[in-house]
């Protein structure tokens, strides 16, 4: 999409520039498998999938009892390559959530500030006039 994508904002749960432990290794390994890729698509779901939390919950629970494990998983609070992850009492995850923006052909993490690799850019006046209505 080249310049047509400039200023488009999307969710940004993971970015290859994040400074969390192990993230640099994930990026290095990914680029070793595909050195020609310009930008790594967000694999955040794969990086924080539930299978990463179960070993910690089992360790904390000290048992494989289903009921105990279910109650223990909500107490897991750990660091991942995409930041700290913990759970609310209702079981929903608490993660660093952010936004990315296309800027000159690059998908840049712009929020939150703690993990941003760039700043949010506002589209210049008149940019909307160049967008074609697809409806």
């Amino acid at each position: 999409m080249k310049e047509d994508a400039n200023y488009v904002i999307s969710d940004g749960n993971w970015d290859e520039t994040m400074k969390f432990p192990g993230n640099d290794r994930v990026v290095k390994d990914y680029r070793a498998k595909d050195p020609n890729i310009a930008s790594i698509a967000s694999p955040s779901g794969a990086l924080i999938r539930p299978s990463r939390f179960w070993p910690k919950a089992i360790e904390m629970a000290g048992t494989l009892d289903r009921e105990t494990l279910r109650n223990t998983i909500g107490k897991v609070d750990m660091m991942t390559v995409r930041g700290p992850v913990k759970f609310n009492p209702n079981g929903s995850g608490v993660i660093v959530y952010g936004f990315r923006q296309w800027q000159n052909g690059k998908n840049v993490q712009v929020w939150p500030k703690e993990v941003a690799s760039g700043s949010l850019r506002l589209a210049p006046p008149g940019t909307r006039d160049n967008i074609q209505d697809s409806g």
Side-chain angles (χ1 to χ4, degrees):
M1 291 181 60
K2 300 182 182 177
E3 66 276 351
D4 290 340
N6 278 339
Y7 312 109
V8 172
I9 298 171
S10 64
D11 65 342
N13 291 323
W14 176 84
D15 187 82
E16 60 189 280
T17 64
M18 287 181 167
K19 303 297 182 205
F20 298 115
N23 192 45
D24 55 345
R25 191 196 56 154
V26 169
V27 172
K28 179 183 169 194
D29 290 352
Y30 194 97
R31 290 201 177 278
K33 290 184 187 263
D34 190 353
N36 298 319
I37 192 153
S39 180
I40 302 174
S42 175
S44 64
L47 297 173
I48 62 164
R49 65 184 176 261
S51 63
R52 301 218 184 253
F53 303 109
W54 284 113
K56 182 70 173 174
I58 291 168
E59 178 185 322
M60 290 170 63
T63 181
L64 293 177
D65 176 70
R66 183 180 182 152
E67 192 79 19
T68 304
L69 281 173
R70 190 187 75 215
N71 294 331
T72 303
I73 191 78
K75 297 175 185 166
V76 171
D77 184 349
M78 62 189 289
M79 182 61 70
T80 71
V81 297
R82 52 118 19 250
V85 178
K86 60 183 179 178
F87 297 89
N88 289 315
N90 68 1
S92 61
V94 179
I95 60 172
V96 174
Y97 191 82
F99 294 100
R100 299 167 61 98
Q101 183 182 47
W102 282 99
Q103 300 176 356
N104 300 319
K106 294 185 179 182
N107 204 355
V108 179
Q109 186 83 26
V110 295
W111 190 84
K113 287 188 234 179
E114 304 85 51
V115 297
S117 58
S119 300
L120 178 68
R121 295 183 183 171
L122 298 178
T127 303
R128 188 186 182 305
D129 298 337
N130 296 327
I131 299 173
Q132 295 180 355
D133 186 359
S134 61

